[in-house]
């Protein structure tokens, strides 16, 4: 009998298992054969949630995130941290980060099972029982669901809601370090074009010898359509051709999958907690999910440690402390920004999306106060104290800068968005 069974070896499940390992007997199960390669942006505000990994380890964090580019068709917006001081954060080789955390988990006595898919969970008043596709059964006192956007059936069967999820696609581009330096004068690019996706960005996350690219947020295209579209973008989209010159990619390695957002209402039921993306804990505009994975893992550890010490039977009434922490740290303030931006930028007609994006780029370039606010948001260590009045101010400035005709048509929308703060 384990104390805790964790399903899902992503940032949420692994960072939870690694932090909780000194206090409980844990098994971590994942259907993947191994951890997939990923290159992500890792804002400075994630730092407080790492304990056994240093953000100065360049094998895991290959470069500083100094410059963000908001790509536009005529002009692009630039946030350059050098204008204000330290970098916005790091670029992370997420697979290497996760492997490091798994090794630490194992050193602390944790057990890991890859290549095993959980197909069913039984819960009684005494325990949870997890059945896998290779015929194994594991019993535990508590279950952690950290299944991202791939475990919705189990989630539903245990009484949880499931978040909204959208189709996304990504792949790595490979080249020499020198070629990548030549092609990119930024570390992260974010681009909105409703012809690519109506509900998410096209992006580049730039590592040393590999670059992650793709787009998120599709709801009305099939997998084969988004594969064809990414291929067309990489081969023909004029605004990024200088970035992909002499880099290699393989269409057969394009990865499609769902990505969730819009947090569900409850994150705990008897003996079960749901963490990270499975709970819809991804910001609705930028699709930032690593912070929420780390925060939810940390909050789950802080909830469970005293309960194990007290010999709890883990009823939802005691586990609900976890829900309160997620709301306090992430949802009460930090997530408002994504909700309002999503409402203004994505949930709109294609021509309005284009106009708002162009105007936002102008605003970023013209307004140093806004650039500083963005820099500070990347770097603040206490996201629970995120100042939403700044977003309100930015929204008002954006509205002021719109052409008169757009002001008339978009006025009600902006008003509603600003009321979210
Ligand atoms: C293309 C892309 C780029 C992104 N870029 C960034 C970024 O730069 N910065 C950022 O902060 N966020 C980014 N995000 C979001 C972020 O990566 C995710 O929200 C976050 O990694 C989710 O972590 P997780 O641990 O909650 O879930 P996941 O990483 O999805 O892990 C869930 C795991 O559960 C396993 N699993 C599911 N069901 C079962 C089952 N039944 N049995 C066994 N195993 C199961 C899966 O195999 C998977 O390994 C990006 C997302 C995408 C798609």
């Amino acid at each position: 009998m384990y104390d805790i069974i964790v399903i899902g070896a992503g940032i949420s499940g692994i960072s939870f298992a690694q932090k909780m390992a000194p206090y409980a007997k844990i098994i971590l199960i994942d259907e993947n054969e191994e951890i997939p390669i990923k290159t992500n942006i890792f804002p400075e505000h994630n730092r407080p949630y790492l304990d056994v990994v240093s953000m100065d380890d360049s094998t895991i964090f290959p470069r500083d995130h100094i410059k963000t580019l908001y790509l536009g068709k005529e002009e692009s917006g630039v946030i350059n941290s050098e204008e204000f001081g330290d970098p916005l954060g790091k670029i992370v080789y997420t697979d290497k980060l996760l492997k490091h955390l798994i090794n630490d988990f194992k050193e602390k006595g944790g057990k890991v099972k890859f290549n095993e898919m959980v197909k069913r969970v039984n819960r009684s008043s005494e325990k949870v029982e997890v059945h896998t596709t290779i015929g194994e059964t594991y019993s535990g006192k508590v279950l952690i669901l950290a299944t991202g956007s791939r475990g919705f059936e189990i989630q539903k069967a245990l009484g949880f809601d499931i978040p909204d999820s959208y189709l996304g696609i990504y792949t790595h581009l490979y080249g020499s370090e020198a070629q990548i330096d030549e092609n990119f004068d930024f570390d992260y690019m974010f681009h909105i074009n409703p012809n690519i996706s109506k509900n998410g960005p096209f992006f580049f996350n730039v590592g040393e010898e590999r670059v992650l690219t793709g787009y998120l947020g599709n709801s009305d295209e099939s997998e084969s359509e988004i594969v064809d579209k990414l291929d067309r973008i990489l081969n023909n989209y004029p605004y990024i051709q200088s970035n992909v010159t002499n880099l290699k990619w393989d269409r057969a390695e394009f990865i499609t999958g769902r990505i969730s957002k819009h947090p569900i209402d409850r994150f705990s039921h008897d003996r079960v907690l749901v963490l990270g993306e499975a709970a819809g804990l991804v910001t609705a505009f930028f699709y930032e999910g690593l912070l929420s994975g780390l925060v939810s893992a940390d909050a789950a550890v802080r909830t469970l440690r005293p309960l194990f010490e007290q010999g709890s039977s883990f009823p939802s009434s005691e586990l609900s402390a976890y829900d309160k922490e997620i709301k306090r740290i992430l949802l009460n303030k930090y997530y408002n920004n994504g909700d309002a931006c999503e409402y203004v930028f994505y949930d709109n007609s294609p021509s309005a999306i284009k106009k708002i994006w162009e105007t936002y780029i102008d605003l970023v370039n013209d307004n140093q106060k806004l650039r500083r606010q963005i820099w500070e948001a990347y770097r603040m260590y206490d996201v629970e104290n995120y100042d939403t009045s700044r977003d309100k101010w930015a929204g008002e400035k954006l509205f002021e800068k719109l052409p008169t005709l757009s002001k008339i048509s978009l006025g009600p929308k902006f008003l509603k968005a600003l009321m979210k703060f």
Side-chain angles (χ1 to χ4, degrees), residues 70-77 357-358 361-363 365-366:
Y70 295 124
L71 180 72
K73 291 192 172 171
E74 269 141 44
E75 199 193 343
S76 293
W357 183 236
E358 281 166 18
I361 285 172
D362 276 352
L363 182 65
N365 288 337
D366 291 352

Side-chain angles (χ1 to χ4, degrees), residues 46 64 89 98 105 111 116 167 174 180 186 194 242 300 317 338 418:
N46 293 357
D64 285 339
L98 296 183
F105 170 59
K111 193 156 193 150
E116 239 179 287
L167 203 54
Y174 293 93
I180 287 180
F186 54 84
S242 62
S317 56
L418 292 173

Side-chain angles (χ1 to χ4, degrees), residues 31-42:
E31 63 189 335
N32 286 336
E33 258 172 65
E34 56 182 351
I35 299 199
I37 293 180
K38 275 274 202 81
T39 306
N40 293 124
I41 63 157
F42 199 85

Side-chain angles (χ1 to χ4, degrees), residues 11 42 53 60 92-101:
I11 190 75
F42 199 85
V53 182
I60 297 175
V92 59
Y93 288 157
T94 308
D95 45 305
K96 295 191 180 175
L97 171 63
L98 296 183
K99 281 179 189 157
H100 189 99
L101 295 177

Side-chain angles (χ1 to χ4, degrees), residues 7-13 29-32 36 38-43 46 94 98 116-119 146-151 154 169-170 188 203 205 212-213 215-216 258-259 275-278 281-282 286-291 293:
I7 314 177
I11 190 75
S12 311
I29 306 169
D30 199 290
E31 63 189 335
N32 286 336
K38 275 274 202 81
T39 306
N40 293 124
I41 63 157
F42 199 85
N46 293 357
T94 308
L98 296 183
E116 239 179 287
M117 183 184 182
V118 173
K119 57 174 185 183
T147 39
S149 301
R150 283 158 66 179
I154 298 174
I169 183 163
Y170 68 88
Y188 171 51
F203 63 88
N205 299 339
L212 190 81
T213 187
Y215 64 92
L216 304 172
R258 302 205 77 82
I259 177 160
L275 270 55
E277 194 175 314
L281 291 170
V282 179
F286 284 110
Y287 286 85
E288 181 189 11
L290 295 176
L291 172 70

